[in-house]
Amino acid sequence: MKKEFDRKKFHIDHKYFLQPQELEHITLLQIGERFCDANTGFPEHEQLCMEITYVYDGEALNTINGFTRRMKANELNFTFPPQKHCICAPPDGTMRYFYIGFLLKESHPLYKELKEIEKKNGQVYLTDPFRSSTFFLNAITNNDPDDNLSVFVLKTSIDQILANFLRAYRGIQKIGLTSVGNAEVVLFNMLSYLDENFLSYRNLSELSEKLGYCASYLSHLFHAAMGCSPTTYCLEKKLQYSLSLLGEEHKSVTETAETLQYDSIHSFSKAFKNRFGISPAAYKKN
């Protein structure tokens, strides 16, 4: 099937090629978010700067110098001059992704590491264990050059994206408090994991394997501190998240249920109505 480039469900694109936005050690040229239908996307173009692409939802067919890879959600790709880059949704699904195009000054603390990766002239794909989507969203929504706080959030969010990328490149899988062994730190690690993986969390065995403690101990510790089970905690986070998804004009109830990884729209609607006293369809309509 022929690809139809540049058709999209929505596209937020901040371009600064004509007037680059100087953020201390970073020159920002472009940042944005795109949600594409099947077989649509951005056509092949030659990179003029470094770019990090992050697939947030769905899957993407990402092509660099003629070689295509199917990127899954939560994957990062790093491209740079003079690579030729193209990205589109596959024939069997939609995709939503973030991107940032930038130049680094030699004074940037991460300049040498990123330039070393560029010198290798390879194709760089990484799984992101740090939920960098949060920092992409912060950067995209803080683009007021006349507001010093907005500029500060923009700069620090980009720095966090770069740091997370390099952590993933080095093979680091997690950060935070480790190996102290007291109950507070175990609870901290539980909450951190659940906050990052509430959409995909299934059961205590998963937590037990990740944290290295028996399931019964984790269950007792979590319930004593939070007053509920990890499953109930994740369900509440999913339902709260559904409110923001349903508030997006492009997002249907069916797509929301799929994003939240419910088995069916019926099970999502039932859980939503039990929690909020109204169906998701009625909530979205109102």
Side-chain angles (χ1 to χ4, degrees):
M1 186 178 295
K2 186 178 179 181
K3 298 179 179 62
E4 299 179 50
F5 289 111
D6 273 340
R7 282 185 56 226
K8 57 269 184 183
K9 291 192 173 183
F10 75 83
H11 188 195
I12 300 170
D13 190 22
H14 300 295
K15 292 182 179 179
Y16 306 105
F17 289 102
L18 297 180
Q19 292 183 313
Q21 189 166 167
E22 300 295 340
L23 303 169
E24 196 173 349
H25 306 294
I26 302 167
T27 300
L28 179 62
L29 299 179
Q30 188 176 22
I31 187 168
E33 172 184 3
R34 181 184 287 254
F35 190 168
C36 297
D37 284 317
N39 278 308
T40 67
F42 198 77
E44 185 178 79
H45 56 284
E46 184 172 318
Q47 289 299 125
L48 302 176
C49 60
M50 293 180 177
E51 181 177 327
I52 293 179
T53 303
Y54 179 97
V55 177
Y56 179 65
D57 193 28
E59 295 185 342
L61 299 179
N62 196 70
T63 303
I64 301 173
N65 293 339
F67 294 94
T68 300
R69 170 173 169 140
R70 191 170 182 128
M71 291 178 65
K72 297 182 179 180
N74 207 41
E75 273 196 288
L76 295 161
N77 171 234
F78 179 52
T79 50
F80 41 83
Q83 290 182 329
K84 293 184 178 180
H85 183 209
C86 165
I87 184 170
C88 68
D92 54 350
T94 62
M95 64 113 172
R96 180 181 177 189
Y97 72 98
F98 305 122
Y99 55 89
I100 178 171
F102 60 94
L103 298 170
L104 289 187
K105 299 174 184 177
E106 292 187 26
S107 57
H108 194 285
L110 305 180
Y111 174 84
K112 288 184 179 180
E113 286 191 72
L114 287 166
K115 292 300 287 187
E116 284 299 319
I117 298 173
E118 182 180 319
K119 286 178 184 178
K120 294 179 181 179
N121 197 30
Q123 296 188 22
V124 183
Y125 292 95
L126 301 167
T127 298
D128 171 44
F130 305 113
R131 291 191 66 84
S132 296
S133 58
T134 299
F135 302 105
F136 275 99
L137 288 168
N138 285 344
I140 291 169
T141 55
N142 284 275
N143 267 271
D144 183 355
D146 297 322
D147 178 8
N148 65 320
L149 292 178
S150 178
V151 172
F152 178 80
V153 172
L154 174 61
K155 184 181 80 68
T156 54
S157 296
I158 295 173
D159 278 335
Q160 187 69 61
I161 292 168
L162 300 182
N164 285 352
F165 168 78
L166 287 172
R167 282 176 174 147
Y169 186 79
R170 293 178 187 174
I172 298 173
Q173 294 301 309
K174 62 180 181 179
I175 54 175
L177 300 173
T178 57
S179 72
V180 179
N182 61 59
E184 288 79 9
V185 172
V186 175
L187 180 62
F188 172 87
N189 287 332
M190 290 179 72
L191 287 169
S192 296
Y193 181 81
L194 294 174
D195 287 344
E196 292 177 359
N197 299 280
F198 68 91
L199 289 178
S200 59
Y201 175 75
R202 291 292 178 263
N203 51 50
L204 270 172
S205 297
E206 177 183 330
L207 265 180
S208 178
E209 181 180 348
K210 291 292 183 182
L211 301 182
Y213 291 87
C214 71
S216 59
Y217 170 70
L218 294 178
S219 177
H220 174 77
L221 178 64
F222 194 89
H223 200 282
M226 305 301 295
C228 65
S229 68
T231 299
T232 301
Y233 179 83
C234 289
L235 174 61
E236 177 64 16
K237 287 189 69 70
K238 287 172 71 170
L239 291 173
Q240 291 295 336
Y241 184 41
S242 72
L243 297 178
S244 63
L245 293 177
L246 292 169
E248 298 178 12
E249 184 178 353
H250 71 278
K251 202 80 166 180
S252 68
V253 175
T254 299
E255 289 171 325
T256 298
E258 291 174 352
T259 299
L260 297 176
Q261 300 187 25
Y262 276 89
D263 294 332
S264 68
I265 188 173
H266 174 73
S267 59
F268 167 58
S269 297
K270 182 178 179 180
F272 189 95
K273 189 169 185 178
N274 286 341
R275 174 64 179 85
F276 300 113
I278 187 175
S279 71
Y283 177 86
K284 186 170 183 64
K285 182 179 180 180
N286 292 336

